[in-house]
Amino acid sequence: MADRNFLRDFPIFHGNPPAYLDNSATTQKPDAVVRAICGYYGGCNANPHRGVYDWSVKATKIYETARASVQKFINAKSPAEIIFTKNATESLNLVAYSYGLANLKADDEILITISEHHSNLVPWQMVAKKTGATLNYIYLARDGNLSDAEISAKLTRRTKILAVTQVSNVLGLINDVKTLAAKAHEVGAVIVVDGAQSVPHIPVDVQDLDADFLAFSGHKMLGPMGIGVLYGKKNLLEEMPPFLSGGDMIEYVEEQDTTFAELPNKFEAGTQNVGGAAGLSAAIDYIQKIGFDEIARVEKNLTALAIGALKKLPYVELYGCDSERGNKIGIVTFNIRGAHPHDVATILDAEGVAIRAGHHCAQPLMKYIGQNATCRASFYFYNTIEDVGRLVDAVAKVRKVMHLD
Ligand code: C6P
């Protein structure tokens, strides 16, 4: 059961909040995160890495301490392997444009899955067009998991990059990235893992997974918007050209030529988001205090309750809710027969239930499952059984409100 005490830690949940079930889009922020951000801006705001005066030195320390905290959180070997970005989208673009453009040629293949978010799809389309490489897709088995037959057939010696989400933001299913990494390495490919929906919910150890790259966003894991992470193996990052260029990423600049800074600075051009890094570091501390076992326990319980109740409504169709592997985070995606998901979400909003409706930035997946759009309720550890009750009660009203019954 979600412990109501969690809610007290979140200023936004004081008073009479809605049942907030859009955590896959962004999570709410605990006091500790808000305080860390305010503490930086109210205490020692200055440009990091540049000044020798006290505030700038403190800003640098906060920023680099946050990097070390991310390093430990995902068990990277070195802080040099942690690049701060704006978000998962920027991290994935960095890999596509830097690693992809430098390493792909015509006849090479980039392999992704049909359940990718546009952020791990469109950059690969662009890079495929620029390099002449082919973009291939792994399709899904009936239960929404990646099809093993598809993986075996599509992952070949021509595959140079396998880019895969660890958890689909629509189906909520966890892909076995460790096995995929081993298979990718067997054929000489690198694996790029989109961790936007996994890092907030399950323990992610980049060394154990043997991931070459991992991208995620701070705002989906209690941190602020505007800070994201790209993990990359040091030997790969060292060989890659810079993505953005300008201040702080250089070693020496002459009129016609530049040498670049060491990692991680080579990939962090311009003034960085110190307040964001401070907030992300506080978010990691908070998550670690709760622990992933507890996060999984609450999410599994709420998800099972929601799926069980929604399955009883004959006009509700669920997606990605039949996997028997137990490999699911707290995402419940559904449609109500005869009702457009945007109408459903609007009616639910009037009932005090916040869900997301639409294509969820995964249009090829929508097409694959034969829908233009779906409704999605996504849980985090601070959600409660009452939230599930409010969701199910509101869903049960939709067809009446729309005069469909
Ligand atoms: N998904 C959702 O509601 P950004 O926007 O860069 O922080 O994250 C992009 C992203 C990448 N991969 C996956 C699997 C994602 O789910 C997301 C963001 C949000 O599902 C917003 S579209």
Side-chain angles (χ1 to χ4, degrees):
M1 253 29 50
D3 184 336
R4 278 228 158 255
N5 289 333
F6 291 139
L7 297 177
R8 274 194 238 132
D9 293 346
F10 291 75
I12 205 165
F13 291 135
H14 299 174
N16 189 20
Y20 181 74
L21 303 179
D22 197 16
N23 292 289
S24 289
T26 199
T27 55
Q28 299 305 339
K29 321 302 174 198
D31 261 328
V33 167
V34 177
R35 273 203 313 272
I37 299 165
C38 293
Y40 162 67
Y41 281 110
C44 59
N45 172 52
N47 210 313
H49 295 159
R50 288 154 174 85
V52 292
Y53 55 91
D54 184 51
W55 284 351
S56 178
V57 171
K58 282 188 174 135
T60 304
K61 185 145 189 252
I62 288 174
Y63 190 64
E64 294 307 327
T65 304
R67 194 191 308 280
S69 146
V70 172
Q71 177 207 342
K72 282 198 206 89
F73 187 58
I74 59 168
N75 194 30
K77 275 190 190 148
S78 150
E81 297 180 316
I82 305 299
I83 314 294
F84 281 125
T85 61
K86 260 202 328 273
N87 48 37
T89 302
E90 186 179 292
S91 302
L92 292 162
N93 273 270
L94 194 166
V95 184
Y97 282 90
S98 174
Y99 184 89
L101 285 185
N103 288 284
L104 290 166
K105 49 185 188 344
D107 295 335
D108 286 344
E109 287 183 3
I110 305 162
L111 186 58
I112 68 174
T113 84
I114 197 66
S115 48
E116 295 312 311
H117 185 278
H118 296 164
S119 295
N120 198 28
L121 189 159
V122 182
W124 298 117
Q125 277 181 352
M126 312 265 284
V127 164
K129 286 190 178 129
K130 280 182 194 291
T131 57
T134 307
L135 182 60
N136 263 352
Y137 287 83
I138 297 170
Y139 297 107
L140 308 180
R142 286 195 100 114
D143 62 1
N145 286 305
L146 298 181
S147 149
D148 290 335
E150 279 282 310
I151 296 167
S152 303
K154 303 271 174 78
L155 189 60
T156 70
R157 290 253 154 227
R158 287 179 67 191
T159 311
K160 296 294 177 263
I161 296 171
L162 171 63
V164 58
T165 191
Q166 192 167 16
V167 173
S168 155
N169 67 321
V170 176
L171 305 174
L173 298 171
I174 304 168
N175 291 322
D176 180 357
V177 163
K178 189 171 174 171
T179 302
L180 287 169
K183 289 186 180 197
H185 294 149
E186 257 169 46
V187 297
V190 295
I191 182 164
V192 181
V193 182
D194 177 351
Q197 299 293 350
S198 58
V199 173
H201 300 272
I202 59 174
V204 175
D205 176 331
V206 288
Q207 291 190 63
D208 180 54
L209 295 175
D210 202 11
D212 295 300
F213 298 100
L214 172 80
F216 57 99
S217 290
H219 70 94
K220 292 185 196 289
M221 48 182 289
L222 310 180
M225 292 182 179
I227 186 94
V229 174
L230 174 69
Y231 157 81
K233 282 184 185 160
K234 200 169 171 199
N235 62 320
L236 296 173
L237 291 172
E238 269 169 350
E239 292 300 312
M240 285 158 54
F243 174 45
L244 301 173
S245 50
D248 215 30
M249 51 74 72
I250 56 93
E251 180 191 50
Y252 201 76
V253 181
E254 294 191 68
E255 281 195 19
Q256 301 298 332
D257 240 326
T258 296
T259 53
F260 303 117
E262 296 280 302
L263 292 174
N265 305 56
K266 182 172 82 171
F267 289 108
E268 293 183 359
T271 300
Q272 295 300 301
N273 184 355
V274 181
L280 177 57
S281 185
I284 288 173
D285 289 346
Y286 190 96
I287 287 175
Q288 283 175 326
K289 246 192 275 159
I290 291 169
F292 281 112
D293 286 349
E294 176 65 2
I295 291 174
R297 189 183 69 77
V298 174
E299 284 189 28
K300 275 192 190 307
N301 184 41
L302 298 180
T303 307
L305 279 175
I307 292 173
L310 292 175
K311 272 190 173 164
K312 289 193 186 130
L313 304 175
Y315 45 80
V316 170
E317 189 170 342
L318 290 147
Y319 309 96
C321 293
D322 288 325
S323 174
E324 285 172 1
R325 298 187 199 168
N327 58 332
K328 191 167 166 70
I329 66 156
I331 289 181
V332 179
T333 291
F334 62 96
N335 267 331
I336 296 181
R337 205 178 331 115
H340 191 280
H342 284 149
D343 292 331
V344 176
T346 305
I347 293 168
L348 264 59
D349 177 50
E351 296 293 320
V353 178
I355 62 160
R356 182 169 172 192
H359 55 60
H360 312 292
C361 302
Q363 283 180 330
L365 175 61
M366 287 293 127
K367 194 166 178 189
Y368 186 73
I369 65 173
Q371 302 297 316
N372 288 323
T374 66
C375 305
R376 182 189 69 187
S378 51
F379 301 105
Y380 209 16
F381 61 86
Y382 44 63
N383 286 121
T384 62
I385 291 181
E386 288 76 21
D387 291 336
V388 175
R390 288 170 78 179
L391 168 72
V392 175
D393 289 350
V395 166
K397 281 190 186 163
V398 168
R399 285 179 59 91
K400 277 191 203 79
V401 173
M402 293 183 72
H403 305 290
L404 294 170
D405 282 337

